[in-house]
Amino acid sequence: MTNTLTLEPNALYICLTQLLVPGFHWGLYLTDEHGVATRHEWAEVKGRREPGSPVEAYGVSVIDPVTEIDQENRRNLAFVKVRGYTPNAAVDMRTLFGGLEPSGGSSSWMENRKKGLSCRTWLMRALALLHKERVIVREDPVAGIEEAVKQIGLDVERRLGEGEDVETVLTEV
């Protein structure tokens, strides 16, 4: 059994999940007043696809409980709380985030990357949109969050690579 993590209620987190290739999967977790998380992400379309259909898409799912190892047996390296977030019931997150990539992405991984579309770039666009909508209010721009979060993930991966038994990092930016 994997360890359950407790996320703060009414908060926004960036989750970095370990991949089999260099880098991390970036997911956006929003918690409700009870701390139950909803994950919003740009991710691989699972299962059988029609020829020409997108290989990646916006997805949303409730994650309860949040654990160190996800449903696909990948390790969640870090949950980074984003300061300045205030929930706003008037903002429909699914509609807001669903409109970030209206074309739905390409049927080719390479084409998505050539267009600058990945889980990380999608998430950073989502944060910028939340900032524009005043759901995130910070003095520093949300674009500065990206480098800080990357560094947190790189540090966890380095420590794991050195054989350290590292628990999922819970921190904030």
Side-chain angles (χ1 to χ4, degrees):
M1 178 125 181
T2 183
N3 291 335
T4 298
L5 304 172
T6 302
L7 302 181
E8 290 180 27
N10 296 315
L12 181 150
Y13 290 86
I14 297 169
C15 174
L16 299 178
T17 304
Q18 193 172 34
L19 298 174
L20 296 176
V21 296
F24 335 98
H25 176 71
W26 296 54
L28 192 63
Y29 282 58
L30 300 167
T31 59
D32 66 13
E33 65 274 9
H34 305 292
V36 175
T38 300
R39 179 180 61 205
H40 300 265
E41 63 183 342
W42 183 260
E44 177 184 2
V45 175
K46 302 288 187 203
R48 193 178 173 102
R49 291 185 308 275
E50 295 297 320
S53 65
V55 293
E56 299 170 306
Y58 165 64
V60 60
S61 53
V62 173
I63 307 296
D64 186 26
V66 173
T67 55
E68 286 188 327
I69 306 297
D70 75 5
Q71 301 88 336
E72 296 177 41
N73 208 29
R74 302 175 304 179
R75 184 179 183 136
N76 288 321
L77 300 173
F79 281 88
V80 183
K81 182 181 171 190
V82 176
R83 290 189 297 268
Y85 168 78
T86 303
N88 182 341
V91 177
D92 179 351
M93 297 297 181
R94 289 177 191 230
T95 301
L96 193 68
F97 296 153
L100 277 173
E101 191 55 46
S103 71
S106 171
S107 61
S108 158
W109 301 95
M110 189 161 306
E111 283 303 310
N112 281 346
R113 297 308 174 268
K114 282 181 184 177
K115 293 176 184 174
L117 183 56
S118 69
C119 58
R120 177 185 49 79
T121 59
W122 180 91
L123 186 143
M124 292 309 300
R125 288 173 41 210
L127 289 182
L129 190 54
L130 291 176
H131 188 253
K132 178 182 173 191
E133 295 289 327
R134 311 270 313 142
V135 176
I136 297 175
V137 178
R138 306 167 56 100
E139 288 187 25
D140 53 328
V142 294
I145 293 171
E146 183 175 8
E147 199 54 44
V149 172
K150 275 186 196 175
Q151 200 53 54
I152 291 164
L154 289 170
D155 182 57
V156 173
E157 279 202 328
R158 178 190 52 77
R159 291 168 55 203
L160 286 168
E162 292 171 353
E164 188 177 336
D165 186 17
V166 182
E167 292 182 359
T168 301
V169 172
L170 294 169
T171 189
E172 67 179 63
V173 294

